[in-house]
Amino acid sequence: MTPSSPSASTLAFVESPVQLLNVLEWAYARPGEQSQLDGVPRQRGRRADGGDLPGPAPRPAGAAPPLRIVVLPPTDPMSRGQLRRVAALARDEGHEVRWQEARGSRFAPLKALAALARDVRAARTVVVGDPFSRYVQLLLTLVRAEELVVVDDGTATMEFMAQTARGERLVRWHRVGGGGLPGRVRELAYAPVSATARRRFTPAAHRGHRVEVFSSMPVTAHGGMTLRVNDFAWTRARFGPPRLTKGTDLVGTSLVETGVVDPDRYLDAVRALTLEHGATRYFAHRRESPEKLRALSRATGLEIVRPDLPLELIARRGPVGRTIVSFPSTVVHTLPYALTGTGVTVAVCDVDPAWLTGSASPRARSFLAGVTDTARDVRRLPAQAAPTAG
């Protein structure tokens, strides 16, 4: 292995575009020995539309070698498309990217586990993007690494840090228990894997096991964890600054798709925000359904934009509105970093508890409020700006 080749000792697993972006940010920020070839410019990459991508971001002095990244893609086309485009950016930075299907058939997870087992056992540093992922937790049963790094998978990092601090099992904040007897049987069968994952996420100095969290979220390290702030330095070095438009852009959310917010109340809220702020574009979340987006377009006249990259990159590349309005979500924490110094105002609209569905988890109200309350450098919009139906 040459000094500039991907490090065989560091292995990253990602399952979404934003996880892959955050791995690129971590790789850019981490210390290490500088490559002997860092001064040699690489060829520019090509976008899907045939245009040039910006050249690789200049790496900081003392930057570590490139990574080996394994992409475990979901099945939905929007996520897969974004993942392929961010993977192209990763390759342009010199990282080795492997596309490993782990879903879509009954035996795909086991086949993927067998294919990855040797590399997982050999890695000295393992980077993961979703500590709640059952597949990632399964991989962690094979990990012998000295260091485990967790990068953001959106606001889930906030719940991950809170649950590990309390010694609880890892459960997504919007998940509601159910499934009857079969569900309980599955949980019992999976319990040993979950317990092993929790131990892996616990630092142990006597065993030389370190845990780092690399995050843009307002979290606090505990129990010997190391916390480093992700300020999107790679994104800012590679893209922008953006050209600003006069209008306001709205950012979509998957709160309806996850069963947290009522669809009709959400449509009413988007309509009210559009009228109040003169919004012209709606950046759809990759999980939003086409039916919901068509209904939004008909009701509001908004131009629906399906981003081909994570919003942090889209906004930094521009053009982007002078004001960006979002409901409580990841971007109210990440965009202020990515757009620092650009003059863009990020605003967050509270979610009225009356918008929540009857099946929303008991944690939904407090979690969403926490996402809003802890956002830095954003403008707060009351839920009254988006009145409930009736």
Side-chain angles (χ1 to χ4, degrees):
M1 184 178 72
T2 66
S4 60
S5 64
S7 171
S9 65
T10 303
L11 191 62
F13 294 98
V14 299
E15 298 176 281
S16 74
V18 72
Q19 291 175 34
L20 181 48
L21 170 59
N22 289 328
V23 167
L24 295 182
E25 294 289 350
W26 178 79
Y28 184 76
R30 69 181 178 139
E33 296 181 2
Q34 187 164 5
S35 165
Q36 294 179 358
L37 300 182
D38 276 351
V40 180
R42 298 188 185 95
Q43 185 177 0
R44 284 176 177 261
R46 304 289 290 181
R47 295 199 306 260
D49 61 8
D52 284 336
L53 285 169
R59 300 178 67 208
L67 306 180
R68 301 177 69 196
I69 303 171
V70 177
V71 177
L72 304 166
T75 57
D76 68 283
M78 281 298 299
S79 296
R80 292 173 73 90
Q82 284 196 16
L83 267 169
R84 291 193 185 280
R85 293 178 183 92
V86 183
L89 294 175
R91 291 188 180 99
D92 197 43
E93 294 294 314
H95 302 298
E96 176 187 317
V97 181
R98 173 177 174 179
W99 192 273
Q100 180 68 57
E101 297 289 353
R103 297 172 176 84
S105 70
R106 182 178 179 182
F107 297 106
L110 294 178
K111 289 180 180 178
L113 192 66
L116 297 171
R118 181 177 178 181
D119 289 342
V120 173
R121 291 191 180 101
R124 294 176 58 188
T125 298
V126 170
V127 186
V128 300
D130 182 5
F132 295 95
S133 165
R134 291 200 165 186
Y135 193 78
V136 166
Q137 292 181 8
L138 193 60
L139 284 169
L140 289 179
T141 63
L142 305 177
V143 165
R144 301 171 182 171
E146 300 167 2
E147 182 178 38
L148 182 61
V149 179
V150 179
V151 301
D152 279 335
D153 181 36
T155 52
T157 307
M158 298 168 65
E159 194 73 346
F160 166 73
M161 295 296 279
Q163 290 178 8
T164 52
R166 295 190 296 262
E168 299 173 354
R169 67 189 186 98
L170 299 177
V171 180
R172 297 185 192 277
W173 67 269
H174 55 77
R175 184 177 175 188
V176 179
L181 180 60
R184 290 194 292 272
V185 170
R186 285 194 298 270
E187 289 296 326
L188 286 173
Y190 187 76
V193 174
S194 179
T196 298
R198 290 199 302 275
R199 287 194 296 271
R200 292 286 187 271
F201 288 124
T202 303
H206 65 283
R207 291 190 284 110
H209 178 60
R210 303 182 302 278
V211 177
E212 175 186 318
V213 176
F214 182 70
S215 178
S216 302
M217 301 297 117
V219 294
T220 302
H222 61 82
M225 286 184 178
T226 299
L227 176 64
R228 286 201 296 144
V229 174
N230 176 7
D231 63 0
F232 284 85
W234 176 81
T235 295
R236 289 184 284 109
R238 178 148 189 183
F239 294 94
R243 178 174 65 85
L244 305 187
T245 68
K246 294 181 179 179
T248 294
D249 292 330
L250 300 185
V251 177
T253 174
S254 61
L255 290 173
V256 170
E257 284 70 19
T258 52
V260 175
V261 168
D262 177 81
D264 293 332
R265 298 295 178 94
Y266 183 78
L267 189 150
D268 289 338
V270 172
R271 183 190 291 116
L273 289 171
T274 300
L275 292 173
E276 181 173 343
H277 297 279
T280 57
R281 294 191 300 176
Y282 179 97
F283 286 98
H285 189 281
R286 59 189 173 84
R287 290 179 181 160
E288 288 188 89
S289 70
E291 297 77 17
K292 170 188 167 187
L293 294 175
R294 282 194 291 269
L296 284 174
S297 180
R298 286 194 301 267
T300 64
L302 287 166
E303 175 191 356
I304 305 297
V305 180
R306 302 298 299 257
D308 60 355
L309 290 167
L311 191 59
E312 293 79 8
L313 300 181
I314 294 292
R316 184 71 193 183
R317 188 172 62 180
V320 67
R322 293 184 182 274
T323 300
I324 298 176
V325 177
S326 174
F327 295 99
S329 70
T330 303
V331 298
V332 304
H333 294 281
T334 60
L335 286 181
Y337 283 120
L339 295 174
T340 184
T342 64
V344 174
T345 297
V346 178
V348 55
C349 176
D350 289 331
V351 168
D352 191 310
W355 303 352
L356 302 183
T357 65
S359 60
S361 76
R363 280 279 292 128
R365 180 175 178 176
S366 61
F367 183 82
L368 292 171
V371 171
T372 301
D373 292 343
T374 56
R376 53 177 286 277
D377 298 332
V378 300
R379 178 179 157 207
R380 291 285 298 273
L381 302 177
Q384 287 78 6
T388 59

